[in-house]
């Protein structure tokens, strides 16, 4: 949680993992633990810290098929923000570990489960995406 919230750097996370490997191994799924060991903390966070139905139901995760899909997702984000179900946040510290994108990005945090979501705006051939990143 501390890594996802930006309170812990990747280096600090790796240090904690090395000093507490038995605790991590016992409390995480094998898959999440191996992702941490392989220095893939975002994938481990995404697996170990599931999102809730509130934020999962905003829009289907993945690339938009059409521009109108992007507009519908944007409308749902605005609706959920007005209901205080998600909050707009600054770019998280771990965003540099995410794949580079052409379009602009915005980040949101679920008020219920603290999952972090990214919307990539459509740009040229890229259709844009809505995805959980942590």
């Amino acid at each position: 949680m501390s890594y996802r919230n930006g309170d812990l750097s990747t280096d600090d996370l790796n240090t904690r993992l090395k000093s507490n490997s038995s605790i991590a191994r016992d409390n995480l799924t094998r898959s999440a633990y191996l992702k941490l060991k392989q220095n893939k903390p975002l994938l481990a966070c995404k697996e170990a810290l599931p999102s809730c139905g509130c934020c999962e139901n905003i829009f289907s995760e993945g690339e938009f098929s059409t521009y109108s899909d992007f507009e519908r997702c944007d409308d749902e984000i605005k609706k959920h923000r007005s209901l205080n179900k998600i909050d707009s946040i600054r770019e998280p510290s771990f965003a540099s570990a995410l794949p580079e994108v052409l379009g602009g990005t915005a980040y949101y945090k679920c008020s219920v489960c603290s999952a972090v979501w990214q919307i990539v705006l459509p740009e040229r051939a890229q259709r844009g995406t809505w995805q959980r990143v942590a």
Side-chain angles (χ1 to χ4, degrees):
M1 288 284 289
S2 295
Y3 180 74
R4 181 167 75 176
N5 292 335
D7 300 331
L8 195 64
S9 71
T10 303
D11 291 336
D12 292 338
L13 179 66
N14 288 332
T15 301
R16 281 194 186 178
L17 177 63
K18 287 176 185 171
S19 63
N20 299 300
S21 62
S22 62
I23 294 171
R25 190 174 43 248
D26 294 344
N27 290 296
L28 296 172
T29 64
R30 179 166 172 72
S31 175
Y33 178 72
L34 289 174
K35 287 173 182 156
L36 281 174
K37 294 282 286 180
Q38 295 168 347
N39 201 26
K40 297 177 182 175
L42 286 177
L43 294 175
C45 283
K46 191 173 174 180
E47 183 176 324
L49 303 169
S51 57
C52 66
C54 175
C55 59
E56 284 180 352
N57 293 329
I58 292 174
F59 202 81
S60 59
E61 193 170 353
E63 186 176 9
F64 301 120
S65 300
T66 64
Y67 190 79
S68 57
D69 281 347
F70 162 74
E71 289 175 324
R72 281 194 301 276
C73 180
D74 190 48
D75 289 344
E76 285 298 311
I77 290 169
K78 288 174 185 170
K79 182 174 98 178
H80 280 73
R81 286 188 67 205
S82 71
L83 297 171
N84 294 322
K85 292 183 177 182
I86 62 169
D87 297 311
S88 180
I89 60 170
R90 292 187 338 217
E91 183 176 279
S93 59
F94 57 76
S96 61
L98 297 170
E100 202 169 316
V101 295
L102 291 176
T105 57
Y107 296 90
Y108 300 91
K109 188 174 193 176
C110 179
S111 302
V112 177
C113 69
S114 297
V116 177
W117 293 79
Q118 174 194 56
I119 188 167
V120 177
L121 308 177
E123 178 76 26
R124 297 183 209 146
Q126 184 178 352
R127 295 180 180 162
T129 56
W130 171 250
Q131 64 183 354
R132 195 179 96 165
V133 293

